[in-house]
Amino acid sequence: MSLSNICVLAKGVQVRGVVLDSLTNMPVSYAAIALTSTPAGTMTNERGQFGIVSYAPDDSLRVSLLGYQPKTLKIKRSAPNNNLIIKLNQTGVRLSEVIVKPKKEKYTKKNNPAVAFMERIRKSETSTDPRRHDFYRYEKYERLTMAINEFKMEGGSWLDKNYKFLSKHIDTSEISGKPILNISLREKMSDVCYTKDPSSEHEYVSGLRQVGLDDVSSKDGIRMALEDVFREIDLYQNDVTLLQNRFVSPLSKIAADYYKFYLSDTVVVDSDSCVVLSFVPHTSQAWGFIGKLYVPKNDSTMFVKKVDLYLPHSINVNFIDGMVVSQTFKKCTDGTRLKVKDDMIMELSVLPGTPKLYVRRNTHYGNHSFEKFNIDDYGLYSDQYEIVSNEAYDIDENQWNQQRPVPLNRGEQGLGNMVSELRSDKFFYWTEKTLKLLFSGYVHTSKNSKFDYGPINTSISFNLVEGLRLRAGGMTTANLSKRWFARGFAAYGFKDHKWKYRAEIEYSFRDKKYHSREFPVHSLRFTSLYALDQLGQRYNSTNSDNFFHSFKRMEDTRVTYMRQQQLLYTLELTNNFSIEASVNFERQEATRWIPFIDGYGNRFNHYNEAAFELDLRYAPGEKFYQGKTGRRPINLDAPVFSLSHIYAPKGFLGSKFMINRTEFRYSQRYWLSAFGYIDAVFKAGHVWNSVPYMNLLLPNANITYVVRPESYSLMNPLEFINDSYASADLTYWMNGLIFNRIPVINKLKLREVVTFKALWGHRSQKNNPFRHPELFRFPDNVNVTDMGSVPYMEVSVGIDNILSLFRVDSVWRLSYRNTPDAPNWGILVGMHLAF
């Protein structure tokens, strides 16, 4: 196909119309609309209306619904194809023992043969499930391709002048026929093994390959993130996880209440005459699919031979212009269903004015076996679902060509050469460098960098104590040493005229690919630190000197200066259980805002604390994106448990006080099917002895204007000081549950978010400085409130997904209102990027 023809096809032909009953002239709802050139299709709505785009030069439209004779119309590319009126003729249809009559009536699930048909499919799940066998193994090949969609190179354009070589790499979408330019290709070969007793499932990855322009950061992190976003769909589950959201499955227990079902057609699939069960959500904005199930006629096992799914255009999902999923199954002699192909294609528009994207996940399955196997051959003694071979990235091109079940197309084959040509261009080279900097936050100092400078977002900030603060730092990489690492920073405050610093040296007991924080960590690290200690403020998800945290609703003067030396041992296991054990020596230095004065009136410039700390963490099934300074969860479905204890013996290395403090944390995301999800965090803690208030349990206050997780937005630092506490932090993401049903508003794709936070705490008399004068007094300029039987509570109601990116919350304090210097209400903003 020539480039000129490709550009013509990119325009496409819009076909719109209405389907009517030829006898009654009443609209025909939910008739199947399909193009003959591609698997693309749609369905008529409740008013019989439809719209679809054809890109093929020779294409036809097929309209079908059980009870009507199917009709095929030629699409005219040179004439208007809008406002078509397609009339279908009725015909009585007998299907097994059920007679479907074409009488026009209001949809009901009661005595509906299509609903009964769906229920029979759902109930057959156990009898056809391959996991009913004691052992189950199969080979899996997955290819994820990303491309620029509707890619055009018009004569005389900037692209045509500067990157003319791209024209030879233009490919064609197999679904829509649009011209595409591949920019990324990821391949994976693996063996999936399942045992019934004990129940376990693992994927042993033998081959991984990545070519393209998306290697801006962690290679494995991006791979796991993409695999989580574009998960395989299993319709036999009640909920389908896709795009990091949950959709109601058409075979779920509530499917009959959520979907409308129609016996819409009979077609031949691989020589089998199949009944087509079509389905569509009751409401067009609901989190569900439009689709079809193909079941061979008179098959008592209700074996599903093929599945076609589409994402409704009216659904409140970001960035997705269209999606089609096609799954194919084959039937074993014992009736077991075996998936042989899973093809998912999405068309995306991420930001206005930027190129549209095309994503295809093409998965093939083969060599299914129910024979007993030795789990040790696959390393299945591990608690990880995915076990990646050490040689996974070392497979050469000849091996890939021999083992991949489907060959690469022309554009995919030439992707490596195209990338090399692009990177030889200076403009593209520096543009890619800039993007990598934005993603990673660090600047490579050479091609095989031994030292990376960063993170960039902390280079400049300001606060009331330090004034303007400049910071410079970086880290060594595995190009210098695979086991010895160093990182640190130096910062200067132009108001307090003090240098702050952090310096660390770390020895890893495992070789690292690039940096010391790569999972799993097994290391010994020594750190020396001098910095501001913001009492009652912890930054769990970002750096405290992030520029955007410079703007605050009150004077941030509840600070001390802290010197700390720490020796930390870390052991992370592949099952996501980790142990951290450390010895810390800390010196807290008083400031004019936070003086150290005991009950006798004695003033101290500083006090010392030498402590031992043990932290245990377990997060079964956790997936995360690995950054150079930390990790971000890919999803929050996995439960996370953590337990920590700090012990500081009095007198040890000059410790002024004995400290015994224990804290526990549990977090998890709870899905509510079609009604959104709740992110829940529960915490509790207790201090077992008498200690100064700085070492008690200080709630995490947020005095910025930015939404911060696990913090109290209307609480001031040190407002509550407890030695026992329990807290709950619940955020309900409603995914447009209300807004989707409001006309006009639903076009904006806004979503609701509601947060409730509660803290119950208590400070016993042993930590009352008025009763124990050896303890430090509370600062005079801080209003410390004794918490009674009523917990501190705040609630926020927000609008999320503003321009697919922003969130605005209105927050109210429900208890302990009218506390001096503490607000009762506030507005917070945040960024929340989600599908």
Side-chain angles (χ1 to χ4, degrees), residues 263-308:
L263 292 168
S264 57
D265 204 352
T266 56
V267 298
V268 176
V269 179
D270 293 337
S271 73
D272 285 334
S273 181
C274 295
V275 176
V276 180
L277 177 69
S278 298
F279 49 86
V280 62
H282 273 284
T283 57
S284 58
Q285 293 84 17
W287 287 75
F289 300 103
I290 295 173
K292 307 172 189 176
L293 300 178
Y294 300 81
V295 180
K297 278 186 178 181
N298 304 316
D299 189 325
S300 60
T301 66
M302 303 304 292
F303 168 71
V304 177
K305 192 176 186 69
K306 187 182 177 186
V307 175
D308 286 334

Side-chain angles (χ1 to χ4, degrees), residues 474-628:
M475 66 177 194
T476 66
T477 75
N479 293 324
L480 180 65
S481 172
K482 293 184 179 297
R483 296 210 170 189
W484 285 99
F485 296 90
R487 69 172 67 201
F489 70 82
Y492 184 75
F494 285 84
K495 186 174 182 180
D496 65 355
H497 305 292
K498 289 180 179 288
W499 283 96
K500 292 87 181 177
Y501 63 85
R502 178 188 177 97
E504 71 176 51
I505 186 168
E506 182 171 4
Y507 176 75
S508 173
F509 296 97
R510 296 187 176 100
D511 288 347
K512 294 296 183 178
K513 297 177 182 178
Y514 194 80
H515 61 85
S516 61
R517 302 295 198 262
E518 293 167 357
F519 180 85
V521 174
H522 185 200
S523 70
L524 193 63
R525 181 192 310 165
F526 176 77
T527 303
S528 181
L529 169 73
Y530 181 56
L532 275 182
D533 188 6
Q534 297 172 298
L535 302 180
Q537 295 184 74
R538 296 188 306 275
Y539 292 82
N540 301 314
S541 59
T542 185
N543 298 296
S544 60
D545 49 5
N546 188 310
F547 176 78
F548 294 103
H549 291 153
S550 300
F551 306 94
K552 299 179 179 179
R553 59 175 168 80
M554 63 176 289
E555 292 186 349
D556 187 11
T557 57
R558 294 167 191 186
V559 299
T560 62
Y561 290 98
M562 178 180 66
R563 297 184 186 273
Q564 184 186 69
Q565 284 75 43
Q566 180 189 67
L567 184 64
L568 171 67
Y569 171 76
T570 303
L571 174 62
E572 293 181 333
L573 304 179
T574 54
N575 63 354
N576 291 320
F577 177 77
S578 64
I579 301 172
E580 288 188 346
S582 64
V583 181
N584 306 283
F585 179 80
E586 184 177 299
R587 170 170 289 191
Q588 286 281 356
E589 299 178 355
T591 63
R592 62 189 177 95
W593 302 280
I594 304 292
F596 299 157
I597 306 172
D598 65 18
Y600 301 108
N602 299 316
R603 184 180 291 267
F604 300 84
N605 292 326
H606 67 269
Y607 77 93
N608 296 336
E609 175 186 311
F612 301 91
E613 183 170 357
L614 179 67
D615 294 279
L616 306 177
R617 186 178 187 274
Y618 184 47
E622 181 183 44
K623 293 182 179 180
F624 50 80
Y625 176 84
Q626 177 73 66
K628 292 182 178 179

Side-chain angles (χ1 to χ4, degrees), residues 118-154:
M118 179 276 296
E119 293 286 359
R120 289 171 58 194
I121 296 175
R122 185 174 67 82
K123 291 177 181 178
S124 71
E125 189 269 339
T126 304
S127 61
T128 61
D129 188 357
R131 286 165 178 78
R132 63 193 173 96
H133 296 270
D134 292 334
F135 294 88
Y136 178 41
R137 190 193 72 80
Y138 58 88
E139 295 176 1
K140 176 181 174 182
Y141 168 78
E142 181 177 279
R143 181 156 78 223
L144 185 68
T145 305
M146 300 181 69
I148 298 176
N149 201 20
E150 302 180 36
F151 186 79
K152 303 177 183 179
M153 287 193 65
E154 299 172 349

Side-chain angles (χ1 to χ4, degrees), residues 298-522:
N298 304 316
D299 189 325
S300 60
T301 66
M302 303 304 292
F303 168 71
V304 177
K305 192 176 186 69
K306 187 182 177 186
V307 175
D308 286 334
L309 296 176
Y310 308 92
L311 205 62
H313 289 287
S314 55
I315 196 172
N316 188 347
V317 174
N318 290 329
F319 318 125
I320 307 298
D321 295 329
M323 183 203 79
V324 56
V325 178
S326 181
Q327 297 179 340
T328 307
F329 300 83
K330 71 177 182 180
K331 189 176 184 180
C332 261
T333 54
D334 65 353
T336 303
R337 68 178 184 276
L338 302 175
K339 187 188 288 188
V340 293
K341 186 179 178 182
D342 189 337
D343 203 357
M344 174 188 292
I345 294 179
M346 290 189 184
E347 295 181 329
L348 304 92
S349 298
V350 180
L351 292 173
T354 61
K356 296 184 177 182
L357 294 179
Y358 166 97
V359 178
R360 181 177 187 180
R361 178 182 55 73
N362 194 359
T363 311
H364 290 256
Y365 312 83
N367 292 330
H368 301 266
S369 172
F370 302 120
E371 295 181 1
K372 185 176 181 179
F373 53 81
N374 185 356
I375 61 175
D376 291 337
D377 293 343
Y378 297 95
L380 301 189
Y381 52 82
S382 170
D383 291 322
Q384 283 182 289
Y385 169 75
E386 184 182 79
I387 302 102
V388 180
S389 166
N390 293 330
E391 296 79 31
Y393 284 103
D394 298 332
I395 298 179
D396 60 30
E397 186 63 31
N398 290 331
Q399 287 179 281
W400 278 106
N401 291 334
Q402 292 172 4
Q403 297 185 43
R404 63 169 65 97
V406 284
L408 300 177
N409 58 38
R410 182 176 61 87
E412 292 169 333
Q413 289 175 355
L415 184 56
N417 293 332
M418 185 193 79
V419 170
S420 297
E421 288 185 83
L422 278 172
R423 286 176 176 160
S424 64
D425 177 80
K426 289 185 177 180
F427 176 78
F428 181 86
Y429 174 84
W430 288 109
T431 300
E432 187 181 31
K433 286 282 188 183
T434 303
L435 290 175
K436 287 185 177 181
L437 172 61
L438 294 175
F439 273 90
S440 69
Y442 282 81
V443 179
H444 299 324
T445 55
S446 63
K447 183 177 181 180
N448 295 312
S449 178
K450 296 180 173 63
F451 179 83
D452 286 358
Y453 175 85
I456 299 299
N457 67 340
T458 62
S459 297
I460 182 170
S461 61
F462 62 88
N463 59 71
L464 189 64
V465 177
E466 295 177 285
L468 178 66
R469 172 188 166 104
L470 299 181
R471 168 175 155 163
M475 66 177 194
T476 66
T477 75
N479 293 324
L480 180 65
S481 172
K482 293 184 179 297
R483 296 210 170 189
W484 285 99
F485 296 90
R487 69 172 67 201
F489 70 82
Y492 184 75
F494 285 84
K495 186 174 182 180
D496 65 355
H497 305 292
K498 289 180 179 288
W499 283 96
K500 292 87 181 177
Y501 63 85
R502 178 188 177 97
E504 71 176 51
I505 186 168
E506 182 171 4
Y507 176 75
S508 173
F509 296 97
R510 296 187 176 100
D511 288 347
K512 294 296 183 178
K513 297 177 182 178
Y514 194 80
H515 61 85
S516 61
R517 302 295 198 262
E518 293 167 357
F519 180 85
V521 174
H522 185 200

